[in-house]
Amino acid sequence: MFYSFTYFTRPIADQSSCDSLPTPEFPKLYNKSSPITMASLLDQLRGLSTVDCDTLDAHVARIYGPFADCTSNQAIVLAEITKVDTDGKLIYQSLIDEVIPIAHWMSGNQTDATVEELAAELLAVGLALRFAPHLNGFIHIQTNPKWCYSTEKTVKNAERIMAHVKHLSPNFDTSRVCIKIPATWEGLQACRLLENRHSIATLATMVFSMEQVALAVDAGCRYVAPYVNELRVHLDATYTDANKDRAALFCGAAQRYCDEVASSTAATEAAHGSLNLQTQTHVMAASLTSVEEVMRLAGAVKHITVSPPLLTELEATPAAGWPGAGTVGAAAAITGPNGDALRLKELIGDQSQWRLAFTRAEAGESERKLGQAVGIFCDMQEQIERLVRKWDLMGKKAVSG
């Protein structure tokens, strides 16, 4: 089955090369250097939350950047590597030709991943590195979702991704790489190991419940990424997530929880003379489908990752006179997560109780949505691997004449 994330595949501009991409000229609604400017919703959003980019298309960064972070996943990678130019040729052919031989070479030195899996990882890293000059924060690369129920395989996958970065760009600062990991019990234990033993930054993704948030914070994740909409909305244009308003409020409650834990931790550390300024977990709201959803989260969470179509709409909409002005920041939590902190603290140290609580969260909806997201990303992963096999075979035939 082929899935298409509409907001990933909508073209921003004609693209003719992945290695030397010209900066296209796009009409602006206002001139930022002019003494008279009209602030857009994107300007307003940037004044309230950190804006990250949910794409690997470097053209987007040239138009709307720079950004703090760049987020990606198997769907984004698949959409990007299959883009073609006006002649029908793959835009990223040179990257494909570069990484497949590397994957073969690496396959001969290890048994943990297939050639196709290695190539899929290398493609994600290669695309992210091309985007990195437009960022002042992290590039986020998601682990293979097929391993999200294995702590050991997820850790190895993360370490391998870091090695890919050094192989493709030896001088790149790997402290700017953040590994996105599905927020299963096993995935969050992998985050704990990567953060605490390997000093590798992690983001807990596919988050739908406070149980996941609490465990991610305890594991030391740099970010948690709650989905405002379940993943299905990006695949089925007729489907609407009826719970998205509640999910937006959940994002605000998650940020409040992270802030309260950070405040408590900082007070304890200060009392013992060991203050660590990097202990806080930030919320990065994800899976947004409208400008209204984005602006409800403005200021309610520290980070928001925004897709290209929404960036376009935010930039094109003047903040002054916007009809939804009264809802800006409406998702901010006034109180903590339902006085739940003690229960959550007890859960994070007991795997069986945590699993049971997660299964029951939101009457089973949180677990269902996580399973749905994992399944979709596994399908995307397999599509990338099939393409790698196809391109590899085509390359061998071309060499043999």
Side-chain angles (χ1 to χ4, degrees):
M1 182 181 297
F2 183 84
Y3 292 113
S4 175
F5 275 38
T6 55
Y7 70 79
F8 295 144
T9 57
R10 189 179 302 179
I12 298 301
D14 176 35
Q15 300 171 344
S16 58
S17 167
C18 69
D19 295 317
S20 180
L21 293 171
T23 302
E25 293 297 326
F26 287 82
K28 292 289 185 180
L29 293 180
Y30 62 91
N31 181 355
K32 293 182 179 180
S33 63
S34 169
I36 300 176
T37 62
M38 184 180 295
S40 68
L41 285 183
L42 184 56
D43 296 320
Q44 184 180 12
L45 177 63
R46 282 191 160 120
L48 296 169
S49 293
T50 299
V51 178
D52 305 310
C53 197
D54 201 22
T55 183
L56 287 170
D57 185 347
H59 277 297
V60 175
R62 290 188 174 94
I63 304 165
Y64 304 115
F67 294 95
D69 295 8
C70 167
T71 54
S72 70
N73 53 46
Q74 282 72 23
I76 292 175
V77 172
L78 178 62
E80 200 64 23
I81 63 170
T82 53
K83 286 181 177 178
V84 296
D85 60 21
T86 53
D87 295 322
K89 296 180 180 179
L90 289 168
I91 291 172
Y92 295 97
Q93 187 65 63
S94 64
L95 176 62
I96 294 166
D97 293 341
E98 177 186 4
V99 303
I100 290 179
I102 295 173
H104 276 287
W105 173 75
M106 289 181 171
S107 178
N109 297 314
Q110 56 83 55
T111 59
D112 294 323
T114 66
V115 169
E116 293 82 5
E117 289 166 342
L118 290 166
E121 295 165 3
L122 286 160
L123 285 169
V125 169
L127 290 171
L129 288 171
R130 282 162 166 73
F131 203 101
H134 306 287
L135 307 173
N136 52 44
F138 288 103
I139 56 173
H140 294 257
I141 301 169
Q142 187 160 290
T143 54
N144 190 329
K146 293 188 287 185
W147 296 327
C148 70
Y149 294 104
S150 169
T151 298
E152 179 184 3
K153 288 183 178 180
T154 298
V155 169
K156 287 182 177 179
N157 189 188
E159 292 175 327
R160 201 164 51 245
I161 288 170
M162 300 299 284
H164 295 335
V165 173
K166 295 303 292 183
H167 186 92
L168 294 179
S169 184
N171 295 323
F172 188 78
D173 181 3
T174 53
S175 69
R176 294 182 58 204
V177 180
C178 186
I179 306 297
K180 290 180 63 179
I181 297 175
T184 61
W185 172 271
E186 295 83 359
L188 292 170
Q189 300 312 314
C191 290
R192 187 187 306 278
L193 291 172
L194 291 166
E195 290 278 3
N196 298 335
R197 295 187 184 179
H198 304 279
S199 298
I200 294 175
T202 63
L203 176 149
T205 188
M206 308 177 213
V207 172
F208 300 96
S209 75
M210 284 306 305
E211 287 76 13
Q212 291 170 291
V213 172
L215 189 55
V217 171
D218 187 69
C221 295
R222 310 297 171 91
Y223 299 96
V224 292
Y227 280 17
V228 173
N229 292 273
E230 62 181 279
L231 214 53
R232 178 182 169 186
V233 302
H234 303 294
L235 309 172
D236 182 354
T238 66
Y239 182 74
T240 300
D241 188 340
N243 194 50
K244 62 182 180 180
D245 290 340
R246 183 176 174 84
L249 293 173
F250 161 62
C251 291
Q255 186 64 68
R256 175 73 177 233
Y257 178 85
C258 292
D259 292 343
E260 290 179 350
V261 171
S263 178
S264 175
T265 301
T268 302
E269 290 177 345
H272 292 84
S274 58
L275 185 60
N276 181 356
L277 297 178
Q278 294 185 334
T279 56
Q280 181 167 8
T281 301
H282 294 306
V283 171
M284 180 187 289
S287 190
L288 298 150
T289 61
S290 72
V291 163
E292 290 74 18
E293 291 171 11
V294 173
M295 297 309 294
R296 285 189 70 195
L297 290 160
V301 296
K302 296 290 174 57
H303 284 251
I304 304 176
T305 184
V306 186
S307 66
L310 293 183
L311 287 168
T312 300
E313 190 174 351
L314 287 163
E315 173 87 336
T317 305
W322 182 57
T327 66
V328 174
I334 298 173
T335 60
N338 303 320
D340 224 9
L342 182 59
R343 179 186 71 87
L344 293 169
K345 186 176 181 179
E346 292 173 348
L347 285 178
I348 57 182
D350 188 325
Q351 178 179 170
S352 63
Q353 290 302 308
W354 184 91
R355 287 184 183 277
L356 179 60
F358 176 57
T359 294
R360 298 177 66 187
E362 298 295 323
E365 281 293 283
S366 297
E367 188 170 52
R368 180 189 68 80
K369 291 179 180 180
L370 172 63
Q372 177 195 88
V374 168
I376 289 171
F377 284 130
C378 283
D379 289 342
M380 301 286 184
Q381 172 74 27
E382 290 170 356
Q383 288 184 55
I384 296 171
E385 291 174 17
R386 286 196 293 271
L387 283 172
V388 168
R389 282 193 290 273
K390 172 186 173 182
W391 292 330
D392 191 15
L393 181 60
M394 291 172 61
K396 290 175 181 177
K397 287 182 177 179
V399 170
S400 63

